[in-house]
Amino acid sequence: MHRSSDVPVQPHAVTVAEVIPGDLVALSEQDVAENTWYVVMHTLPETPHTIRLTLRPPLGGIDHDEVFERGHQVTTACRRMDVGAIPEITSTDLGPVEFRDGDRITSLRAVDPRAVEESYTRRWGHWHRDLDRRAEDPVPDEELRNLAEQVTQKGHVVRHYPRPRRAAEAYAPRRVVVTGLGAVTPLGVGVEELWRGLVEGRCGISELEGEEFAELPVRIAGSVPVDPVGLLPRPQARRMNRSAQFAVLAAREAWQDAGLDPAGTTESGLAPERVGVSVGAILGDASVLVGADRKLRDKGPRAVSPLTTPMTVPSQAASQVSLALRITGEARTVTSACASGTEAIGQAIDRIRYGRVDVALAGGAEAVVTPAIMASFAAMRALSTHELGSTSPSRPFASDRDGFVNGEGAGFLLLEAEEHARARGARIYCEAAGWGLSADAHHMAAPDPSGSGVALALRRAVHDAGAHVVDVVHVNAHATATVDGDLAEASALRAVLGGSVPVTALKGHLGHLQGAAGGVEAVATVLTLHHGLIPPTIGCDDQDDAIDLDVVTKRPRRLPALGDLALSNSFGFGGHNAVLALRRTRLSRTR
């Protein structure tokens, strides 16, 4: 807590014989200039010509005596203080103290009645003035001990406050962990294909083939290179749209990766009603409705399939995942533009935290690489016009970025309450520690250039994780490679985290997977924590100077050792902002 006095200082010269207990005095002109004041605690005639003053710093400290001639002049602040309210305190000898993360050191220049207490908190073996700002470098233990010794000699009171013990809580939200991963992306089917492609810097963007794309001004996209129908039982696949097919494949992979039986909940020893599904999607699969409309116009109403409606709704992916694994707890769908996948994961975290379910499959799925959607994005001038070549046409944070590349796919996390996962001996990738939402309230499509909405979501995610800004070691950026979007995100990251946290952006590899982007990028962020390796950003051969971030390019980079939190960002048309906070578990936590 900051501590200072509101005592007004109005210097006035008096003799020592005139001062009485409670007076605030400076002993010399230099003391006045340096704001060095003392409270007179006692006065005692020493001889007929001298007086002994007992003095104490006005903000607390130890007493010392000074003997003066009666006529000696001092300066009074013209204000009397309550001597009984001034604490008698001594500085802590930090020499023998064994520091721990969470300890706090305060320094107060007690001789200055207007001084403000400085505070340092230990985190990751270093001392920080503010755990939620990166404005200055942290201080190591020995440097802090030396600093404390120096300021003590200058009238400061230095105090050590050990890390407080956590009181037992009647109820606390459960910790949520990630135990399974699944993905279907333009780099291939499966998490292994995704991770290998990201680390190797491969681009999954390709040219669209087919007559329906021939007349489009932009004919490149991040398309899944495998037909999902061939990977599913044909009767089931025929009743799913393409987005749901992606979702079922990715969800099943995450389910099996977590060590669960592919037959479903009961066979895995789980209560079906204690398991949930949470899927983010914008449209799901627009081609079903477009195809039905074409049949209606060409052949009449009898040609329209009765499955058109159930296969068109965005919720089909969630329902098909619940059907495939016989999950009865809940099947939720989140639609918040390109933030949908991340928000769906965040909602699942809360459903587990507060006991609604014990296990959840959460992520995003989308299949909107269709002529109408491509034409619409092109009309908005939102798509990149770069051609396929030696680098990706999607160029996050690059000086020559000119728009995003449309994409498709699915990404899922298998989330569990920690005690549930440990009880069944599950492998834990990391903790799903928190999430944050905000809204720009700025424009139906363009981002707020100030980045203030994004910054709010970032801070909320860190806070929801019970963490501080100094804990963040990595950011998986949304970075769609639009000119304004990348600038707004970069501005928010600098405002909240500074420019030193390593950032990567994956849309150069994948394109923009729309509602699935948050799910796939969450999978990649989990793998970054798990392997301790940050994949490079491809397409960013020449970083825009205005970005001013530490963007990882060219080759993978080891994750920083100090800190434990990674953030995965997703932002959508209309100002939807969602940030996921994931915590690696191999390091000790100090919450």
Side-chain angles (χ1 to χ4, degrees):
M1 178 188 297
H2 295 300
R3 196 154 51 110
S4 63
S5 170
D6 60 357
V7 174
V9 176
Q10 299 173 345
H12 180 69
V14 297
T15 65
V16 168
E18 295 177 274
V19 301
I20 62 174
D23 280 350
L24 184 64
V25 299
L27 304 182
S28 67
E29 289 298 322
Q30 183 177 351
D31 283 353
V32 174
E34 295 176 353
N35 284 319
T36 300
W37 299 84
Y38 297 95
V39 178
V40 178
M41 305 297 289
H42 301 286
T43 62
L44 180 68
E46 184 81 2
T47 70
H49 306 289
T50 60
I51 297 177
R52 179 183 297 273
L53 302 183
T54 300
L55 306 171
R56 183 180 297 178
L59 300 185
I62 56 175
D63 295 344
H64 77 279
D65 290 350
E66 296 271 2
V67 177
F68 299 98
E69 295 285 335
R70 284 179 173 272
H72 178 81
Q73 282 199 332
V74 294
T75 302
T76 178
C78 296
R79 176 68 182 268
R80 193 153 295 142
M81 301 182 68
D82 180 2
V83 295
I86 301 172
E88 185 175 11
I89 53 177
T90 59
S91 290
T92 305
D93 179 7
L94 300 181
V97 175
E98 183 176 343
F99 295 135
R100 299 184 304 164
D101 276 8
D103 286 4
R104 192 164 63 94
I105 298 290
T106 63
S107 173
L108 180 66
R109 189 170 183 266
V111 294
D112 181 354
R114 294 175 177 172
V116 175
E117 186 176 73
E118 292 185 351
S119 179
Y120 290 82
T121 304
R122 194 174 189 266
R123 192 82 166 175
W124 306 108
H126 288 70
W127 297 87
H128 303 260
R129 286 180 189 265
D130 187 342
L131 294 176
D132 289 312
R133 292 187 64 211
R134 292 176 178 265
E136 57 187 41
D137 292 333
V139 177
D141 287 346
E142 284 311 306
E143 186 175 331
L144 188 80
R145 292 184 202 273
N146 294 336
L147 180 63
E149 184 177 347
Q150 293 169 16
V151 299
T152 300
Q153 295 172 1
K154 297 178 181 178
H156 289 240
V157 174
V158 175
R159 305 285 288 169
H160 170 247
Y161 297 91
R163 180 180 69 200
R165 295 183 179 275
R166 294 185 67 180
E169 299 178 69
Y171 175 78
R174 300 189 296 181
R175 286 183 69 204
V176 181
V177 296
V178 180
T179 57
L181 303 173
V184 177
T185 75
L187 289 171
V189 175
V191 168
E192 186 175 345
E193 286 295 314
L194 170 66
W195 183 245
R196 184 186 300 117
L198 294 179
V199 171
E200 292 176 355
R202 284 196 280 113
C203 177
I205 296 167
S206 60
E207 187 167 352
L208 294 171
E209 299 177 354
E211 184 180 342
E212 67 271 27
F213 297 107
E215 301 301 320
L216 295 180
V218 176
R219 293 184 297 278
I220 56 169
S223 301
V224 173
V226 178
D227 185 355
V229 173
L231 303 176
L232 293 165
R234 190 165 183 81
Q236 294 179 22
R238 290 178 63 241
R239 293 176 175 270
M240 300 181 200
N241 63 32
R242 186 174 173 86
S243 172
Q245 292 165 359
F246 292 155
V248 169
L249 288 172
R252 277 183 170 170
E253 183 185 18
W255 185 264
Q256 292 180 251
D257 185 46
L260 298 171
D261 192 308
T265 50
T266 303
E267 293 79 1
S268 301
L270 304 178
E273 70 275 8
R274 297 297 300 167
V275 183
V277 179
S278 184
V279 182
I282 304 175
L283 297 175
D285 183 352
S287 65
V288 175
L289 189 60
V290 172
D293 183 67
R294 184 180 296 120
K295 288 179 180 178
L296 176 64
R297 286 185 282 109
D298 292 347
K299 299 180 180 180
R302 291 183 179 275
V304 178
S305 168
L307 297 177
T308 298
T309 298
M311 288 177 63
T312 297
V313 293
S315 60
Q316 214 221 7
S319 67
Q320 288 293 336
V321 171
S322 71
L323 281 167
L325 296 167
R326 288 182 281 178
I327 294 169
T328 64
E330 56 189 36
R332 306 162 63 85
T333 300
V334 176
T335 300
S336 53
C338 307
S340 300
T342 296
E343 184 174 344
I345 295 170
Q347 290 195 16
I349 290 171
D350 278 354
R351 300 299 285 175
I352 296 172
R353 272 178 173 171
Y354 300 108
R356 304 299 189 266
V357 293
D358 300 317
V359 179
L361 277 163
E366 203 80 76
V368 290
V369 181
T370 65
I373 297 298
M374 293 290 293
S376 172
F377 283 145
M380 292 173 64
R381 298 184 179 180
L383 294 181
S384 172
T385 58
H386 291 301
E387 297 181 354
L388 293 170
S390 60
T391 191
S392 173
S394 173
R395 301 178 181 181
F397 296 135
S399 58
D400 61 346
R401 67 190 185 278
D402 67 346
F404 69 84
V405 172
N406 194 23
E408 64 179 4
F412 277 78
L413 309 183
L414 194 289
L415 304 172
E416 294 186 60
E418 182 186 28
E419 63 266 30
H420 187 279
R422 295 198 183 281
R424 68 181 189 86
R427 179 261 329 276
I428 293 174
Y429 281 105
C430 66
E431 179 187 357
W435 64 300
L437 289 178
S438 71
D440 281 355
H442 174 73
H443 188 270
M444 67 177 293
D448 181 346
S450 73
S452 59
V454 172
L456 177 59
L458 289 165
R459 291 190 180 96
R460 283 176 168 171
V462 172
H463 182 265
D464 192 49
H468 299 280
V469 162
V470 298
D471 300 328
V472 178
V473 293
H474 171 57
V475 176
N476 190 305
H478 183 62
T480 61
T482 60
V483 174
D484 293 338
D486 286 12
L487 284 174
E489 182 174 12
S491 176
L493 289 172
R494 291 194 306 270
V496 177
L497 303 175
S500 61
V501 175
V503 174
T504 196
L506 306 183
K507 291 179 176 64
H509 303 264
L510 305 169
H512 186 357
L513 308 190
Q514 308 300 325
V520 171
E521 288 163 13
V523 170
T525 308
V526 170
L527 291 170
T528 295
L529 290 175
H530 182 66
H531 294 292
L533 194 66
I534 304 171
T537 302
I538 67 170
C540 185
D541 294 343
D542 180 22
Q543 183 177 323
D544 183 353
D545 291 340
I547 295 299
D548 197 20
L549 296 173
D550 181 14
V551 180
V552 178
T553 60
K554 298 181 180 178
R555 62 187 62 84
R557 186 192 301 178
R558 299 304 304 179
L559 204 62
L562 299 181
D564 63 356
L565 208 67
L567 305 178
S568 182
N569 296 346
S570 294
F571 316 122
F573 284 163
H576 300 278
N577 304 312
V579 178
L580 180 65
L582 299 164
R583 175 178 285 115
R584 60 179 164 190
T585 56
R586 67 178 179 84
L587 297 177
S588 60
R589 295 184 305 114
T590 56
R591 292 171 61 187

